[in-house]
Amino acid sequence: MNFEFLGEYWHYFVDGTKVTLLLSIFTVVLGAIFGTLLSLMRLSGLTPVRLLATAYIEFFRGTPIIIQVFLVYYSLPQLIEGFRFPPFPFLEQYGGEFTAAVITLALNSTAYVAEIMRAGIQSVDKGQMEAARSLGMKPWMSLRLIIIPQAFRTVLPALGNELIVIIKETSIVSVIGLGELMFNADTVKGSLSKPFEPLIIAALIYLVITFTLSKLVGRLERRLKRSHA
Amino acid sequence: MLNIKNLHKHFGKLNVLNGIDMEVDKGEVVVVIGPSGSGKSTFLRCLNLLEVPTDGEIMFEGISITDKKTDINAVRQKMGMVFQQFNLFPHLSVQDNITLAPRKLKNYSAQQANETAADLLRKVGLSEKAKSYPDQLSGGQKQRIAIARALAMSPDVMLFDEPTSALDPEMVGEVLDVMKKLAKDGMTMVVVTHEMGFAREVGDRVVFMDGGVIVEQGPPAEVFTNPKHERTREFLGKVL
């Protein structure tokens, strides 16, 4: 093992890490918002809405994410004449690939978050909704102020797990040539003909990110628990 | 104030309410008693449409709340409800439990809402608990906070669904005391309860329900000492 190449190639890993983190942040935020909305659709009393949400969730949970990436990245431009993924606002340097990657990862994460939030919402006692409604709150306000905060607290460990999964799964978008951590490690590997060392560096960086986040989530969990002990 | 006509509620094939007619006047305290499964809780829950009646009409302050066009959310703001299981919001402090609805629905400022909450907490004797969370309270304290929360919307009527049934015996008194004070202040109340002492002492009228109908009603002194119906006698014989 010899890591001397880092002296010359370190910026590949720094740049890659930056892209990986940006991808993860956008995916988490979009996944959390749309996942929560989808979980409400999944619990809707309207059968067509519920079926649509269920179909969405089953598709994105039941097919490999690598296929989803290819489907979004290659099929949209084929289906729509002249369509190209526009560069992501403020991150134009990463090209349309970044946009396609965020869209795919967010579509995928939405499905997982929806299932987590559904379980959380169902775990809230139905008396909570009745109390909110009996005060005169409308359904949406009751969900927003009473049900979802409690559901969120219950499923925080599962959401933390999803966060870590997302960070690792961003590596899949290296297949469309976006220069995130995995892609850059691969680039270094190719140009040096060193099979292991660049991958070990990348793995360590992923580990540092996920480990830090799992500690932060753990701390948040303890704080929320204390605040309504 | 409340005018209920021919109220029916069916759950599938199960007929829980089979035609209830009742009037509740402003300032009146109506206590609903009856054996388990008599439909008294369902009846109460129909009054603010937590259960949607199968048939019949409920008028509240001249508005038909069973009419689909009525904005039930606006009506509910005038009807406070207290539950057997308290249903306090566990993620909010006592103060936020009380102020949430006035702030969000009546556009109270934070200060205005906090002042209201302080008044109500004094009324239920729990001023020192404003910053506590529901998990830190005893059952009796929770129920008193739940009453304060409902009162924060300044309702015209208060509905109580077996408010002391989930309490340890030594905490029943403190909740009933708050309810007595409320009755004395002239609040209109409909109370479903097993507390016969409360019914006798505070009720202006006692309603005995069985099998989804009102079997007998009248002033407590009359119903308790001289029940007219065999079923009322039988029930009172068991619980008194």
Side-chain angles (χ1 to χ4, degrees):
Chain A
M1 293 278 171
N2 178 353
F3 292 96
E4 274 168 17
F5 66 92
L6 276 178
E8 193 178 340
Y9 286 92
W10 60 271
H11 64 272
Y12 277 87
F13 293 96
V14 172
D15 292 348
T17 304
K18 212 156 68 184
V19 177
T20 290
L21 286 175
L22 285 168
L23 269 179
S24 304
I25 290 165
F26 287 118
T27 303
V28 165
V29 171
L30 293 172
I33 294 169
F34 289 109
T36 304
L37 292 176
L38 190 66
S39 73
L40 298 176
M41 290 173 64
R42 175 77 177 70
L43 293 167
S44 165
L46 300 169
T47 309
V49 175
R50 195 172 59 244
L51 284 180
L52 191 71
T54 309
Y56 179 98
I57 291 166
E58 292 304 332
F59 175 79
F60 279 97
R61 291 201 313 167
T63 57
I65 189 165
I66 191 163
I67 296 181
Q68 294 164 18
V69 175
F70 283 137
L71 280 180
V72 169
Y73 185 64
Y74 291 115
S75 70
L76 276 182
Q78 293 237 324
L79 288 174
I80 307 165
E81 188 109 26
F83 178 86
R84 291 188 61 218
F85 283 101
F88 206 78
F90 304 107
L91 297 168
E92 284 85 0
Q93 68 269 36
Y94 302 124
E97 282 75 19
F98 188 88
T99 312
V102 167
I103 289 172
T104 314
L105 291 167
L107 286 171
N108 183 273
S109 179
T110 292
Y112 284 92
V113 173
E115 278 302 270
I116 294 170
M117 284 306 290
R118 176 181 68 88
I121 289 168
Q122 283 177 323
S123 79
V124 177
D125 186 87
K126 74 175 183 18
Q128 292 290 311
M129 186 51 122
E130 290 185 351
R133 298 303 307 277
S134 77
L135 288 165
M137 293 186 206
K138 293 186 173 135
W140 173 241
M141 186 188 269
S142 311
L143 280 169
R144 191 164 53 83
L145 298 175
I146 305 300
I147 307 299
I148 291 175
Q150 292 183 56
F152 177 77
R153 199 174 286 228
T154 309
V155 300
L156 193 59
L159 284 176
N161 188 52
E162 168 65 10
L163 178 62
I164 284 164
V165 169
I166 286 170
I167 287 161
K168 292 183 296 170
E169 287 205 327
T170 55
S171 62
I172 209 79
V173 302
S174 58
V175 297
I176 57 171
L178 178 64
E180 44 67 72
L181 183 54
M182 182 66 207
F183 182 88
N184 284 11
D186 222 32
T187 307
V188 175
K189 190 179 93 177
S191 61
L192 292 174
S193 355
K194 278 183 180 293
F196 296 126
E197 289 89 336
L199 291 179
I200 288 170
I201 300 292
L204 281 175
I205 295 173
Y206 280 115
L207 190 62
V208 167
I209 298 172
T210 54
F211 183 77
T212 311
L213 279 168
S214 84
K215 287 287 153 206
L216 285 176
V217 171
R219 187 179 288 186
L220 182 64
E221 256 173 66
R222 279 193 300 280
R223 227 183 67 194
L224 285 179
K225 213 175 266 170
R226 252 207 320 275
S227 78
H228 91 123
Chain B
M1 172 172 278
L2 266 170
N3 198 333
I4 299 123
K5 275 195 211 115
N6 195 28
L7 193 66
H8 287 259
K9 176 67 185 177
H10 305 161
F11 291 105
K13 283 198 181 121
L14 185 67
N15 299 348
V16 182
L17 298 178
N18 298 304
I20 305 259
D21 295 282
M22 194 198 278
E23 273 192 45
V24 179
D25 292 331
K26 191 166 164 40
E28 201 180 8
V29 177
V30 177
V31 181
V32 183
I33 61 172
S36 313
S38 58
K40 55 194 193 303
S41 273
T42 304
F43 166 68
L44 193 76
R45 291 162 57 82
C46 280
L47 296 184
N48 68 352
L49 254 52
L50 282 185
E51 302 289 354
V52 180
T54 313
D55 198 11
E57 189 178 40
I58 301 167
M59 301 285 289
F60 174 62
E61 299 181 329
I63 300 164
S64 169
I65 68 168
T66 35
D67 185 343
K68 289 236 171 3
K69 281 179 289 226
T70 303
D71 177 9
I72 188 62
N73 300 304
V75 174
R76 280 176 178 150
Q77 294 186 23
K78 312 218 123 250
M79 305 175 102
M81 186 157 197
V82 175
F83 300 86
Q84 183 177 348
Q85 299 297 337
F86 329 126
N87 296 340
L88 290 180
F89 305 134
H91 61 302
L92 300 178
S93 69
V94 163
Q95 177 168 284
D96 289 343
N97 262 277
I98 298 172
T99 58
L100 184 70
R103 275 190 292 125
K104 297 292 174 182
L105 300 171
K106 295 187 125 180
N107 293 320
Y108 276 32
S109 69
Q111 194 200 349
Q112 215 176 350
N114 288 345
E115 278 165 16
T116 309
D119 283 346
L120 290 168
L121 283 172
R122 209 170 306 128
K123 197 169 190 169
V124 300
L126 289 171
S127 292
E128 74 283 4
K129 297 292 184 190
K131 302 287 175 208
S132 302
Y133 280 83
D135 288 0
Q136 297 164 322
L137 306 176
S138 72
Q141 292 171 332
K142 280 184 199 167
Q143 196 60 298
R144 283 145 73 195
I145 298 299
I147 293 171
R149 177 177 69 180
L151 289 173
M153 291 298 287
S154 353
D156 294 339
V157 60
M158 286 283 284
L159 311 174
F160 291 86
D161 187 7
E162 303 199 25
T164 58
S165 297
L167 296 175
D168 292 336
E170 75 268 23
M171 294 171 182
V172 170
E174 61 189 75
V175 171
L176 292 182
D177 283 344
V178 169
M179 292 168 63
K180 280 178 204 166
K181 231 193 298 180
L182 209 53
K184 214 160 66 190
D185 291 347
M187 177 60 78
T188 312
M189 296 161 66
V190 183
V191 185
V192 170
T193 188
H194 293 291
E195 294 294 328
M196 296 305 146
F198 177 85
R200 192 183 289 212
E201 190 187 335
V202 185
D204 295 312
R205 179 158 39 118
V206 171
V207 174
F208 174 67
M209 274 180 71
D210 195 16
V213 294
I214 293 174
V215 176
E216 174 165 1
Q217 57 179 317
E222 216 167 274
V223 175
F224 282 112
T225 49
N226 196 8
K228 290 187 191 65
H229 283 261
E230 180 54 34
R231 275 191 288 173
T232 320
R233 270 197 291 275
E234 203 181 306
F235 174 74
L236 291 173
K238 277 183 210 156
V239 297
L240 287 180

